[in-house]
Amino acid sequence: MRRAGIWAAAVLSAASLLAAAGTALADGPSPSPTAGEKSPTDAGTTFRTATAIAQSQKATASASSGDYLYWVFPADAGQRATVRAEVALPDAAARHGASTWRIDVYDGLRRRQPCMYGMQSRTAAVGAASVELSCTLRTVRALAEPWANDPLPGSYYVRLTMTEAPEQDMGLPVRAEVEAVAKDMGGAYAVDGTLSEPLVPGVSAASGQAGDAEEVTDGASDEGFSWSSGWWSDRWLWTGAGAVLAALAGIGGHALTRGSGRPARVPPGA
């Protein structure tokens, strides 16, 4: 009965720890647009004039074929961002051939970030009504080596443009819709250390990382976004749970193997 009680206590403790870890994962930060906030209806034409959007907020813009359209959104450590874009094309009767569209994503130092997967570039046939694009970035790291191109916490710029089309189709009206969403990947991607400041407008770009030493003052601010980068991550919960489970396993093993003591029929001096 005593051993059964020890094992029951161990199981209950393990269940409580795992439940706490699961709750911490579920309660992770998931920024979203503020209730009643209007979605942007325009786009910038350069990095400096990029239109700010929140995560999970759809932005639209009317433009002409051949224009460069820019938006900027925040992404924090542990988040894996996906950018989706849809372009409503001009009437087929007004077009003279197929057109190729592309989205690119740049970090706060204006380094182009590769897509893990997604349709980053796509060609629309002359009769197509729209074209859809997507790009899923690598998980944002809290810290990286100076020579690395790892995504870091801060602003991320989205650029949408048409790369190929008949010359006669340049300047035709189009309508674009863009959305950036992020998924929290948890402590499995956590690293030791953190940036002193997120890479947002106003943070000086180090020489050799941004291509020059100019101060990044363009784009949108991070106002309204709660940065959670730091030493804490949910991996501490799993590490603590593992340590407690190991201790409980040791106690349980000792209770099972130590026996019930000296038999009553054996004399003390034997």
Side-chain angles (χ1 to χ4, degrees):
M1 292 296 292
R2 183 180 179 184
R3 295 177 185 176
I6 293 176
W7 281 111
V11 171
L12 289 174
S13 298
S16 299
L17 288 169
L18 293 176
T23 301
L25 285 173
D27 293 340
S30 181
S32 58
T34 304
E37 183 178 355
K38 294 183 179 180
S39 297
T41 56
D42 59 0
T45 55
T46 65
F47 284 103
R48 293 183 179 278
T49 59
T51 297
I53 59 175
Q55 291 182 10
S56 303
Q57 182 181 42
K58 289 186 178 181
T60 57
S62 297
S64 300
S65 301
D67 289 347
Y68 284 87
L69 306 179
Y70 288 83
W71 294 268
V72 58
F73 69 94
D76 204 355
Q79 293 184 335
R80 178 174 293 173
T82 297
V83 179
R84 303 186 184 98
E86 182 177 1
V87 182
L89 302 172
D91 293 337
R95 307 201 315 259
H96 297 80
S99 59
T100 301
W101 293 80
R102 179 183 176 91
I103 55 172
D104 291 290
V105 183
Y106 299 82
D107 66 10
L109 297 178
R110 300 184 189 175
R111 303 175 301 181
R112 190 176 70 83
Q113 292 294 317
C115 301
M116 291 180 58
Y117 49 84
M119 190 63 70
Q120 184 178 10
S121 179
R122 176 171 284 181
T123 299
V126 65
S130 63
V131 59
E132 296 182 0
L133 307 166
S134 68
C135 174
T136 298
L137 302 175
R138 296 171 295 170
T139 302
V140 178
R141 295 167 58 89
L143 188 68
E145 296 293 338
W147 46 262
N149 191 39
D150 295 326
L152 295 170
S155 298
Y156 281 80
Y157 296 87
V158 181
R159 184 176 72 184
L160 171 65
T161 190
M162 184 178 68
T163 58
E164 289 185 40
E167 186 176 354
Q168 303 95 312
D169 292 350
M170 301 297 288
L172 291 177
V174 296
R175 184 170 178 81
E177 181 179 274
V178 170
E179 180 183 23
V181 299
K183 178 181 179 181
D184 292 315
M185 302 305 294
Y189 291 86
V191 297
D192 293 329
T194 181
L195 293 179
S196 58
E197 295 289 344
L199 299 178
V200 297
V203 177
S204 295
S207 177
Q209 291 180 323
D212 53 28
E214 69 177 29
E215 185 178 354
V216 182
T217 58
D218 50 291
S221 70
D222 59 341
E223 183 179 356
F225 186 81
S226 178
W227 298 100
S228 61
S229 299
W231 65 272
W232 169 259
S233 71
D234 56 33
R235 69 174 179 171
W236 289 100
L237 292 175
W238 294 108
T239 302
V244 173
L245 289 175
L248 292 174
I251 295 173
H254 175 70
L256 289 174
T257 58
R258 70 174 182 173
S260 57
R262 181 187 299 275
R265 64 179 178 275
V266 178

